[in-house]
Amino acid sequence: MFLTITTTGSTDRPATDLGFLLHKHPDKSQQFSTAHGTAHVFYPEADAERCTAALLLEVDPIALVRRSRGKGRGGAPDSALGQYVNDRPYAASSLLAVALRSVLASAMKGQCAARPELVGRAIPLRIEVPVLPARGGAELVRALFEPLGWAVLAEPVPLDETFPEWGDSRYVRLVLEGERTLAEALRHLYVLLPVLDDAKHYWVASDEVDKLLRAGEGWLEDHPEQRLIVGRYLARRWALTRRAMERLELERLAESDDVAAEELDNAVDEEADTEDKPVPLAVQRREAILAVLRAERATRVLDLGCGQGQLVGALLKEGQFTEIVGVDVSMRALHEARRRLRLDRMSERQSERVRLVQGSLAYTDSRLKGYDAAVLSEVVEHVDPARLPALEYAVFGAARPRTVVVTTPNVEYNVRWESLPAGHVRHADHRFEWTREEFRQWARKVAERHGYGVTFGPVGPDDPEVGPPTQLAHFRVQGEDSKGADRGGAGRGGPVTGKEVAA
């Protein structure tokens, strides 16, 4: 990855003052180790009239794979070759943004002890990025940078110059020109490079909100593409995006009222505020599932399609559940679940209660036999309808836990979501969403075929017209004692095949 920053000057104000702002001497070539390779800073030209600083990031693909553990573009665990053969060494992305922050941290903060008078001075700048991924094309590049005062050249890069009929790639050559302080320019790049790439090489945690707001101070509050920038920068994590948008709105109001944001934020006495805050639907869903498992006195529980481990974490907090197995087809999800649950930091006694196992619910799996309960929370709607019979047999026929809890969206409730366009499902990966009657018909047929009884319940506010946002089915084996019928070859003592993420 390559980026250059050029400025011009005169005898009175030499262009080589750029070296003071960057804290990098124009006569030296310097190297810096980063988490994913080596960053080089050098000056192809440096005199009083013109000075160019270059940042070259050499990405180590082995280090990238080891540290990312499959996260980010090109690193899917089921694409072994794709982890090493991809565009990341060449195309500007979050890797380059992180290198900017680590190598040019003082410049980005606007710090220059040697020449403090330079920090607030707008200087003529020309910034070039030869290869920039732009999901949205040159039009989006201009929409992001032009409101910030830059003259923008976004030149599409052809797929292959030898075959012009193939058209353009999703990459552009970017040139920005304008008079800005260097700190402002670096903060623009730090935020907008990964936004245009629309991917990050690392997990986006809650501290990313603070990073975004620090880098966006003074320009993001009023940017016309604010929502797109925030959403993409935070990897479309809805809770983080909402938090960032609320804080940006607070900053905007504070500026219009000419008061500190803290004053507005303290206008409400939190201790005196007794208004009930809405409980997120995901939390209500977990509580509904836990209520069934508690009532069934289940101790050994399967979380089938466990994703990033939210339900597993809730189960771990209750001593009733002595053995918890999270199963998911995605190794990336299992690694993230392991990180979220901090399995490597658990006590030995606690870690013995949980396992994370890779497996597909479309196939029978002897490891899943003999458990008290299994949970399919927001799973069935991600399965192609033609594959549902296979999932049904794998869970209800082969594994046959005493209790099964299934939750799935109620499509009738979708009309209550103001942000959901008519006719759309709630998630792009949903293969279908059932009405209440469709769900009940499916559940009753499953129960009849496999010897279960089934009852239904709402999760979330039960709208008198369209029902609840989530519907729950509670299956229980009929004609067996409370300990269940078959406990042979189950749990930790049973045969283990395939991949397992050990606790």
Side-chain angles (χ1 to χ4, degrees), residues 286 289 301-315 324-338 340-341 343 354-361 368 374-380 382 391 499 501:
R286 285 195 292 273
I289 293 168
V301 179
L302 298 166
D303 182 7
L304 304 177
C306 66
Q308 297 170 7
Q310 290 92 336
L311 179 60
V312 173
L315 292 166
I324 305 156
V325 178
V327 182
D328 204 284
V329 72
S330 168
M331 282 300 294
R332 182 185 302 179
L334 292 173
H335 282 304
E336 182 53 33
R338 178 185 177 86
R340 279 172 168 256
L341 296 168
L343 295 188
V354 61
R355 284 187 302 159
L356 300 178
V357 177
Q358 185 186 33
S360 170
L361 301 181
L368 308 185
V375 177
L376 290 158
S377 179
E378 309 300 287
V379 171
V380 294
H382 293 271
L391 177 146
K499 296 181 181 179
V501 181

Side-chain angles (χ1 to χ4, degrees), residues 300 302 323 325 355 365-372 398-401 486-496:
R300 304 171 66 241
L302 298 166
E323 185 176 348
V325 178
R355 284 187 302 159
D365 190 334
S366 60
R367 294 172 298 176
L368 308 185
K369 289 184 178 181
Y371 284 84
D372 298 327
R400 196 170 176 76
D486 178 12
R487 292 293 176 260
R492 296 185 187 279
V496 176

Side-chain angles (χ1 to χ4, degrees), residues 178-372:
E179 287 204 4
R180 312 287 307 192
T181 67
L182 181 64
E184 289 173 331
L186 293 175
R187 290 198 294 268
H188 295 167
L189 293 170
Y190 174 74
V191 173
L192 297 180
L193 291 183
V195 166
L196 283 164
D197 188 25
D198 199 14
K200 284 199 171 184
H201 68 280
Y202 58 88
W203 174 251
V204 175
S206 57
D207 62 344
E208 290 294 305
V209 174
D210 294 325
K211 293 178 186 177
L212 171 63
L213 297 182
R214 282 196 298 268
E217 184 178 0
W219 62 272
L220 185 54
E221 298 93 336
D222 300 312
H223 198 291
E225 298 293 338
Q226 179 193 88
R227 184 169 292 277
L228 179 144
I229 294 169
V230 173
R232 284 195 177 190
Y233 183 89
L234 297 172
R236 295 182 172 83
R237 293 193 62 192
W238 181 81
L240 297 184
T241 300
R242 182 180 64 177
R243 188 189 312 171
M245 294 298 292
E246 288 173 350
R247 289 175 59 180
L248 284 167
E249 177 63 12
L250 188 66
E251 292 289 344
R252 187 189 67 79
L253 292 172
E255 184 177 356
S256 63
D257 291 345
D258 196 23
V259 297
E262 293 77 8
E263 293 183 36
L264 287 178
D265 203 23
N266 290 333
V268 177
D269 183 352
E270 294 184 358
E271 295 183 359
D273 184 14
T274 58
E275 182 181 353
D276 291 335
K277 296 181 180 179
V279 178
L281 182 59
V283 175
Q284 296 183 60
R285 190 160 48 235
R286 285 195 292 273
E287 284 300 321
I289 293 168
L290 288 169
V292 173
L293 298 178
R294 294 188 198 108
E296 287 292 327
R297 293 183 293 175
T299 60
R300 304 171 66 241
V301 179
L302 298 166
D303 182 7
L304 304 177
C306 66
Q308 297 170 7
Q310 290 92 336
L311 179 60
V312 173
L315 292 166
L316 277 170
K317 293 177 181 178
E318 302 199 18
Q320 170 181 330
F321 306 111
T322 59
E323 185 176 348
I324 305 156
V325 178
V327 182
D328 204 284
V329 72
S330 168
M331 282 300 294
R332 182 185 302 179
L334 292 173
H335 282 304
E336 182 53 33
R338 178 185 177 86
R339 186 193 71 82
R340 279 172 168 256
L341 296 168
R342 300 185 177 182
L343 295 188
D344 56 341
R345 301 182 186 180
M346 283 184 183
S347 65
E348 184 177 353
R349 181 178 179 181
Q350 183 81 333
S351 65
E352 286 178 351
R353 296 173 58 205
V354 61
R355 284 187 302 159
L356 300 178
V357 177
Q358 185 186 33
S360 170
L361 301 181
Y363 303 95
T364 59
D365 190 334
S366 60
R367 294 172 298 176
L368 308 185
K369 289 184 178 181
Y371 284 84
D372 298 327

Side-chain angles (χ1 to χ4, degrees), residues 41-242:
V41 177
F42 56 93
Y43 290 78
E45 55 182 342
D47 56 41
E49 294 184 352
R50 185 178 174 88
C51 183
T52 298
L55 173 62
L56 171 66
L57 179 61
E58 289 186 298
V59 175
D60 179 352
I62 306 299
L64 183 61
V65 170
R66 286 175 178 170
R67 288 181 177 271
S68 299
R69 294 185 178 182
K71 296 187 284 291
R73 177 170 44 82
D78 56 350
S79 305
L81 184 61
Q83 297 182 79
Y84 301 97
V85 182
N86 50 63
D87 63 355
R88 287 171 292 178
Y90 319 104
S93 66
S94 58
L95 286 165
L96 185 58
V98 170
L100 282 170
R101 189 186 68 204
S102 58
V103 175
L104 305 177
S106 296
M108 188 176 294
K109 294 176 184 176
Q111 298 173 347
C112 182
R115 297 283 302 278
E117 74 278 5
L118 297 177
V119 171
R121 181 186 299 170
I123 58 176
L125 290 171
R126 178 184 173 92
I127 298 172
E128 296 189 50
V129 182
V131 183
L132 173 65
R135 296 183 186 271
E139 183 178 349
L140 180 59
V141 178
R142 289 189 288 270
L144 294 182
F145 283 103
E146 285 181 348
L148 302 175
W150 294 103
V152 180
L153 170 65
E155 186 177 48
V157 176
L159 280 171
D160 191 322
E161 294 181 353
T162 308
F163 301 97
E165 64 272 17
W166 288 3
D168 295 327
S169 68
R170 68 182 185 89
Y171 304 93
V172 300
R173 170 178 169 261
L174 174 66
V175 179
L176 303 175
E177 291 186 313
E179 287 204 4
R180 312 287 307 192
T181 67
L182 181 64
E184 289 173 331
L186 293 175
R187 290 198 294 268
H188 295 167
L189 293 170
Y190 174 74
V191 173
L192 297 180
L193 291 183
V195 166
L196 283 164
D197 188 25
D198 199 14
K200 284 199 171 184
H201 68 280
Y202 58 88
W203 174 251
V204 175
S206 57
D207 62 344
E208 290 294 305
V209 174
D210 294 325
K211 293 178 186 177
L212 171 63
L213 297 182
R214 282 196 298 268
E217 184 178 0
W219 62 272
L220 185 54
E221 298 93 336
D222 300 312
H223 198 291
E225 298 293 338
Q226 179 193 88
R227 184 169 292 277
L228 179 144
I229 294 169
V230 173
R232 284 195 177 190
Y233 183 89
L234 297 172
R236 295 182 172 83
R237 293 193 62 192
W238 181 81
L240 297 184
T241 300
R242 182 180 64 177

